[in-house]
Structure formats: structure tokens, C-alpha cells
Amino acid sequence: MNGLFDMPSDLQNTYWGLLGLHLRNALVPVLIGLLVALPVAQLCVRLRWLYPPVLWVTTVLYAIPSLAFFVVLIDYTGLSETTVMIPLAVYSLVVFVPAIVDGVRSVPRETLDAATAMGIGPVRRYLQVQLPIAAPAIIAGLRIASVSSISLVSVGMLIGNQGALGNLLNSGMIYNQPRLIWLSVLGTAVLAVAVDALLIGLRLLVTPWMPRGSRPAGGGSSSRTGAALEKSTP
């Protein structure tokens, strides 16, 4: 291991391969969590009594230590990437559900009334009016969930070498190689910062009507509401 990025043979991967694996194991569960949270959050918006128990369940699941989650899942999914991804997807719900609910609830009543008067049905109104206006809050939740997931993937090193950069951290301790430990820590930090920066860029791209530096929450100026409605109609 003469070069800076030379990896131990037992990792069966290059450093750049570990980076890609880490990113995949972190972001796929976040996307799955978002897809699950969207309909769940809409149900919570329509049925207000449902929101407290859903929030309670997601909070309780988030409180379960990841290692305990792994132990339960091993009997069903084995020592695989799936065993790492399922808890990460579940953990993301505690961020996504309140973010989406708060974002959708922040849409002004007059905006919804205007959309209804224009003949936009409930499903189309949710997809084309409510979600775009709630996008800043949703992307804020996406940023938190993504960075958290990137940091938690490393715990997978405890089950069958499924921790990506966490495996590198483990190897550094086994072989007494500080270089490997620093590569693991810095690689994880760089991935988190890079993904967060990309999501900030995504927010600027999908919400051009929102002034830079404004808070990603609800309420809204008439210009923002009008622009969102104009974009949502053919």
C-alpha cells in the first residue's frame, strides 16, 4: 500500500469504487423514503387526526438503534446491502413526513381556491400546485435526510462488510493505518458537502420564483403564489 489511494485487498474495491458504493447505499434509501412519504404526508394533510400517530410511529422507528435494526433484518435479508438500506429508508421518514406536511399546509387557501376554480382536480392540484409551492420545505428535508444517510452508511461495516467507506475506517484500525482512517472520514465529509450543495442548486432550479436567501417554508407572497399557479396550468 504505497500510494495514497491504495486499498487493502480484502476490501475488493478501489477507493473511487467505495465512494460510489457509499453514495448509492446512502441515496437510494432516501429516494425510497421520499416516495413513501409523499402519499403518507398527503393522507396526513387530508386526515388531520392521522398526523400525530404517523409522526409518533416514525419517531419511534427513528429511535431504534441501527445495529438493532440490522440484527432483526439479517434473518430476512441476510448480510446484504438491503439490510443497510431498509433502516436508512425508514429513518428518512421522520424527516420527510413533517417536511412535506408542513410545506403542503403552508399553501395559501386562496391559491387552492384559485386552482379549484380553474378546474384543477385534487390529484393534479396536489402534484402541480401544492408540491411545487412546498418544494423548498421538501428539499430542506431532503438535504437533512441525505446528509444523515451518508453518515449512517458506515455503520454497515458491522454486518458483513457492507459499510462502504465505513469498511475503510475499519481496515484502518485493523492494519493500524491512519491514512485509511483519514480517507474514510474525509471521503464521507466531502460526499455530504457535495450532495448538500447539489440539493441547494436543485432548490434554486425548481423554485426560480423564490428569492435567494428566503426561508424554505410556507406562507407566501402573492408573486410566488401567482408564479406557481401560472407554471402549473397549461
Side-chain angles (χ1 to χ4, degrees):
M1 296 188 295
N2 297 321
L4 176 62
F5 296 104
D6 287 345
M7 298 289 104
S9 58
D10 58 338
L11 289 180
Q12 300 178 345
N13 233 316
T14 65
Y15 181 68
W16 312 112
L18 288 174
L19 282 176
L21 183 63
H22 197 100
L23 203 57
R24 184 185 72 188
N25 288 355
L27 297 188
V28 169
V30 170
L31 293 177
I32 293 173
L34 179 60
L35 291 176
V36 172
L38 284 170
V40 171
Q42 178 61 5
L43 280 175
C44 292
V45 170
R46 294 181 67 87
L47 307 173
R48 288 183 174 266
W49 61 267
L50 189 60
Y51 185 42
V54 167
L55 198 58
W56 182 84
V57 169
T58 57
T59 303
V60 168
L61 290 173
Y62 186 80
I64 299 175
S66 54
L67 186 57
F69 229 140
F70 294 157
V71 170
V72 171
L73 290 173
I74 283 174
D75 287 340
Y76 304 96
T77 55
L79 301 175
S80 66
E81 292 179 352
T82 305
T83 304
V84 177
M85 289 183 178
I86 290 176
L88 296 181
V90 171
Y91 291 156
S92 69
L93 295 178
V94 78
V95 176
F96 283 136
V97 171
I100 298 171
V101 169
D102 292 345
V104 171
R105 282 180 177 175
S106 72
V107 178
R109 182 74 250 177
E110 57 268 23
T111 301
L112 298 178
D113 292 341
T116 302
M118 294 168 67
I120 300 177
V123 174
R124 191 172 157 214
R125 184 174 62 216
Y126 178 60
L127 295 175
Q128 296 186 347
V129 179
Q130 291 174 290
L131 285 184
I133 294 178
I138 295 172
I139 294 177
L142 188 60
R143 290 173 62 192
I144 295 171
S146 297
V147 172
S148 175
S149 185
I150 288 172
S151 67
L152 286 173
V153 167
S154 295
V155 183
M157 70 179 180
L158 300 173
I159 57 150
N161 209 31
Q162 297 296 335
L165 288 175
N167 300 342
L168 187 57
L169 178 64
N170 188 48
S171 294
M173 293 186 290
I174 292 174
Y175 299 122
N176 193 25
Q177 286 278 345
R179 171 182 65 88
L180 300 180
I181 295 173
W182 280 109
L183 284 174
S184 174
V185 172
L186 292 177
T188 302
V190 168
L191 284 181
V193 171
V195 168
D196 191 54
L198 287 174
L199 290 174
I200 292 174
L202 176 64
R203 185 187 72 79
L204 295 175
L205 182 65
V206 302
T207 58
W209 39 265
M210 184 177 178
R212 294 189 181 188
S214 59
R215 291 185 300 177
S221 63
S222 58
S223 60
R224 185 188 71 175
T225 300
L229 264 179
E230 183 178 350
K231 286 184 66 178
S232 69
T233 55

